[in-house]
Amino acid sequence: MKSWRLATTALPLDRTLVMGILNVTPDSFSDGGRFDSAREAVEAAEQMVAAGADVIDVGGESTRPGAAAVTADEEQARVGPVVEALVERDVIVSVDTSKAAVAAAVLAAGAQAINDVTALSDPGMATVVSRAQAGCVLMHMQGDPRTMQADPTYADVVGEVRDHLVAAAATAEAAGLAPDHIVIDPGIGFGKTVEHNLRLLAATDVLAATGYPVMVGASRKSFLGTVLDRAGLGPSQPADRDLASAAVAALAVARGAKLVRVHNVRQIKEVATVVDAIVAAEVSDG
């Protein structure tokens, strides 16, 4: 696909797209409670856009391991004012939600895409996204945030995640969503062990071979801290994992990812720009 088509625009895929994370939640693992007002959230989003973010992904419900669910009304109350303010500023907005009711409201307010971490578990989501012909990220999660890390098990993690995402994409297409609106995400850290995460990242090219653009969202996640701790580099807090996050982004882009979802936009923009240039040189020399 040459571009990722959104509700009213399209983003070219001839370079890596950077999605900036904007959580307006009290309990997200890295930045929960950081933005106490819509104004502060909008200012943070503007800073990410200035640093090179192509899309701002607004989330109103934490999906960290063990997180409690919130109602659609509460989630909408958190994200709605931020979405409206960003749309007024011509920012391309995605909303991280698994609820069809929230998706319908934010798309009506001008959001361009929905980032569904449950890959259409809400029976109404496919219809809502299709009616708007919005961008749609389908992410794999085994279980739900409250239980997903209890004992994640796979016979073939790469094959099972790939097949689940392809099936979800087929559901979206059957509801009328054009294929070039769909992005798939292996769901790093969502119902996976450290080893599962590493295998999926190593197999980014396998996921890309499905024909759908792949997004990787590994920024600051706990498995990075585990890898570093195992190597004797000590335990780390989420904000200490930006270099490790950059390493993941570089590998993912080199192996075919077209989007990366990140906290440190400026750093990953630089990483993606350099890797894109190397990959382009390799293709032209081939």
Side-chain angles (χ1 to χ4, degrees), residues 7 83 93 95 102-114 128-130 132-135:
V83 171
V93 177
V95 173
V102 175
V106 296
L107 290 171
Q112 292 280 338
I114 297 298
V128 167
V129 177
S130 177
Q133 286 295 297

Side-chain angles (χ1 to χ4, degrees), residues 13-220:
L13 294 172
D14 57 352
R15 60 176 177 80
T16 302
L17 301 178
V18 176
M19 180 180 282
I21 299 168
L22 184 68
N23 289 317
V24 287
T25 59
D27 55 347
S28 291
F29 80 96
S30 179
D31 53 3
R34 182 180 170 194
F35 308 117
D36 293 328
S37 69
R39 178 185 58 79
E40 290 174 318
V42 170
E43 288 176 354
E46 290 178 322
Q47 291 171 5
M48 286 192 281
V49 171
D54 298 286
V55 181
I56 299 299
D57 193 41
V58 182
E61 179 178 20
S62 176
T63 51
R64 63 176 175 79
V70 301
T71 66
D73 287 345
E74 182 176 359
E75 186 178 344
Q76 175 59 23
R78 293 174 179 176
V79 302
V82 177
V83 171
E84 291 172 4
L86 292 177
V87 169
E88 288 178 358
R89 290 162 173 77
D90 295 323
V91 174
I92 296 175
V93 177
S94 168
V95 173
D96 178 354
T97 184
S98 59
K99 299 181 181 69
V102 175
V106 296
L107 290 171
Q112 292 280 338
I114 297 298
N115 178 15
D116 185 353
V117 299
T118 66
L120 309 180
S121 68
D122 185 328
M125 183 65 86
T127 299
V128 167
V129 177
S130 177
R131 284 176 179 167
Q133 286 295 297
C136 183
V137 179
L138 301 172
M139 194 198 81
H140 178 275
M141 180 193 304
Q142 186 180 89
D144 61 58
R146 291 176 296 281
T147 63
M148 64 186 181
Q149 292 305 112
D151 184 25
T153 303
Y154 302 84
D156 172 12
V157 66
V158 174
E160 290 173 43
V161 168
R162 177 199 60 208
D163 292 350
H164 178 89
L165 293 173
V166 169
T171 298
E173 291 181 37
L177 188 65
D180 55 358
H181 288 256
I182 299 171
V183 168
I184 61 173
D185 179 343
I188 301 300
F190 287 83
K192 282 99 178 171
T193 64
V194 173
E195 286 68 30
H196 292 148
N197 291 325
L198 296 174
R199 289 177 199 163
L200 284 165
L201 290 168
T204 301
D205 55 339
V206 174
L207 300 176
T210 63
Y212 296 104
V214 174
M215 183 170 82
V216 169
S219 181
R220 297 182 177 175

